Amino acid sequence: MPLLRDYTAEHERAVNLGGDAVRAMDAGDLARAAGLARALADELRTHWQGEENGLFAELLASDDMFADYIAPLVAEHRDLDAFLRTMDFSAPADRESFRGAVFDLHEHIAKEEDALFPASVTTLDGDQWDAAIAAWQRAHPGERMLGS
């Protein structure tokens, strides 16, 4: 599924940015770490917008059973976004919290890729995939999906 391929690529970029930021932080390059964290936040915000307004919305519209699985994922999006907006790499506690957030992001992504994405393949119909793709496109103005 092209949309899932693109979401997975976005996950990979986010993981790489987070890991690079942690490595920069550990090397004492806090300015670089902060820049990478800003890039991570930007990547995640567009990703979350497309995901929540597209794939998640279509899954919720197709079956209420997804609500208990999706609600915590959205809450994790909001919590990480709030942290990334306010964190300060000059504060040791924020640096350790960032390290934990990057670790938690791996677990979050696994919840999506290992459960929600496969469920979407068997749940959504063509019109719902079109709607989910349109939401991705609205969240990524001027960008093209991979391979298109």
Side-chain angles (χ1 to χ4, degrees), residues 47-136:
H47 172 78
W48 293 333
Q49 181 184 353
E51 200 172 54
E52 292 174 16
N53 295 334
L55 187 67
F56 289 8
E58 293 303 320
L59 286 168
L60 290 168
S62 69
D63 196 322
D64 289 341
M65 75 173 181
F66 289 107
D68 289 339
Y69 197 84
I70 290 173
L73 294 173
V74 172
E76 290 172 10
H77 293 173
R78 298 297 175 273
D79 291 346
L80 181 53
D81 186 49
F83 173 70
L84 291 172
R85 287 182 187 279
T86 61
M87 71 159 298
D88 178 1
F89 274 103
S90 68
D94 279 4
R95 289 195 302 270
E96 285 312 303
S97 292
F98 181 78
R99 182 184 313 281
V102 169
F103 178 82
D104 292 345
L105 183 59
H106 288 267
E107 291 183 8
H108 175 91
I109 289 169
K111 292 175 196 172
E112 293 180 356
E113 290 184 1
D114 297 343
L116 204 60
F117 288 6
S120 69
V121 173
T122 60
T123 301
L124 301 182
D125 65 24
D127 290 338
Q128 290 171 307
W129 281 111
D130 288 345
I133 290 169
W136 183 94

